[in-house]
Amino acid sequence: DEPTDEPTDDPTDEPTDDPGTTTLTIRVASSEEVDQVETNDGPLDPVNDTFFGAEVELTNEADEEIGLAGENFTFYDDQGGSHHVRYGRFTTSGPQIAPGETARAMVYADIPSGTQITEVSYTDSVGTAGQEVTLPID
């Protein structure tokens, strides 16, 4: 059999670049509701009523750096409302995670009291191919 350049539908052993594939492992390690967040510049008070924080662990399985900054995360409540991160602490100097590395992000949203946060999402052009990955919060 001589090789041909004709297209075929036969499967190959070569990986493909599927834009819908994530290249990271992500999980919510813990969550908390606090009245104040301790920062390097001193305590940060909420503008609304309280802070909701989640500790998220990310492992970069890509060949490129992935983003690690507050704007990569969004919180969602039980009414479908979104809440953006007001403050974040990261275990890397960032704002990236190098290939093969694992980092933790402790991200906080400033929310009205009585708001029930149910999910946190992460989005990155490399790590999630620009698709939002949503994780439940227990």
Side-chain angles (χ1 to χ4, degrees):
D1 291 19
E2 291 190 27
T4 66
D5 290 329
E6 294 177 26
T8 178
D9 289 329
D10 295 337
T12 67
D13 291 332
E14 296 177 32
T16 59
D17 291 328
D18 182 355
T21 305
T22 59
T23 54
L24 67 108
T25 301
I26 182 169
R27 71 179 187 94
V28 175
S30 65
S31 63
E32 65 181 2
E33 202 166 308
V34 294
D35 295 330
Q36 202 173 57
V37 174
E38 288 300 322
T39 73
N40 292 339
D41 299 324
L44 181 64
D45 292 315
V47 173
N48 291 307
D49 296 313
T50 191
F51 284 108
F52 183 88
E55 183 179 22
V56 181
E57 183 180 273
L58 302 108
T59 301
N60 182 358
E61 298 167 357
D63 294 331
E64 301 175 57
E65 293 180 329
I66 62 172
L68 184 64
E71 59 263 14
N72 294 103
F73 299 91
T74 303
F75 288 98
Y76 292 97
D77 62 37
D78 60 349
Q79 302 299 307
S82 63
H83 305 272
H84 298 286
V85 170
R86 177 153 174 226
Y87 180 77
R89 264 192 307 270
F90 309 100
T91 59
T92 66
S93 57
Q96 304 91 343
I97 304 171
E101 297 292 316
T102 297
R104 286 182 179 254
M106 189 67 198
V107 288
Y108 292 91
D110 186 345
I111 61 172
S113 86
T115 302
Q116 181 67 38
I117 299 295
T118 57
E119 298 175 319
V120 62
S121 73
Y122 173 81
T123 308
D124 179 70
S125 60
V126 173
T128 67
Q131 300 297 312
E132 187 175 41
V133 174
T134 306
L135 302 161
I137 294 177
D138 296 325

